[in-house]
Amino acid sequence: MSPDPRRSQAPSTPPSASASPSPDARPEDERLSPGKTVGYGVQHILAMFGGVIAVPLIVGGAAGLDVGQKALLVACALFVSGAATVLQTIGVPYFGSRLPLVQGISFAAVSTMLAIIGSNGETGLQTVFGAVIVASAIGLIIAPFFARIVRFFPPVVTGSIITVIGLSLMPVAGRWVTGSDPTAEGFASADKIGLALLTFAVVLILSKIRALSRLAVLLGLAIGTVFALILGQADFDAVGSASIFAFPQPFAFGMPIFEIGAIVSMTIVILVIMVETTADVLAVGEVVGTKVDSRRVGDGLRADMLSSLIAPSSTRSPRPPSRRTSDSSH
């Protein structure tokens, strides 16, 4: 019997030998195609966008800022969030978990910030900035020690914290759907709720299609926006009048004010945020399938605290901020 010519052409090494991954390769170092990278990146931006802009809008409203000042606060929040995400993802020595972790704004601080602001307007906002600076510096100092508690975070604890974070965001999402003012015209109108349900349904349907599941949120937002335009619920007129590029400069609303009571309250909040960040780093590591040890958690915490430390100094108003009295209608 003559030899099989297909066997004579077989390689001398197993086909999978050249394709075997390096033993040092990490899942988070995987490189996707440019199209997928851009698509998933845009999806992450849009998914985190609402959470980032909600806090400055709430805090700015409590401080009695006008529309332009609140827009500035939102823009600077997005700028710092983006810079912090780059630091957290790429990392430098001692800073950054080097995981695909989007650094947003925690809602855990909102109630404390509102209490500090009270009826003091922009003076209260300056006090918030001072408290955040000192509390973040304290968090930066204790980050290496805090990271050692990583062994006390089994999956059930991590999952519980992430679930609580998600549940805490539900009222915010509800206000986006219905409107924040129950006395306003069109509050909880049928077209708003219908548009929200339509977007939600699109996301659920696309998440079940394997080829589109990872882009379900992005495509759902895009399709929902198209329907919003058709229904007259989206207006992009103000986008055309905005500056294409703008860079923040320090201290928009005056120098920070340092008060002991505010600092103590914000330090407690920072400890809660550090727990959240620890759970986030562990959860992302679990999803990616990579090892997360106490050193990596510490690097992630330091990046978070450094970003929080510089955030209050990242804004400058295009004009002197207007002062409001404590009996402002806001």
Side-chain angles (χ1 to χ4, degrees), residues 54 107 166-182 186-189 192-193 196:
F107 281 81
L167 292 175
S168 69
L169 299 179
M170 290 181 65
V172 177
R175 287 192 291 271
W176 288 343
V177 172
T178 61
S180 57
D181 185 5
F187 176 79
S189 60
K192 290 181 179 179
I193 296 176

Side-chain angles (χ1 to χ4, degrees), residues 253-286:
F253 308 101
M255 296 299 292
I257 298 174
F258 302 97
E259 293 184 357
I260 295 299
I263 291 172
V264 172
S265 300
M266 194 57 65
T267 300
I268 296 173
V269 172
I270 282 293
L271 295 177
V272 174
I273 290 174
M274 292 177 74
V275 174
E276 288 183 352
T277 301
T278 300
D280 289 342
V281 172
L282 293 174
V284 172
E286 188 76 19

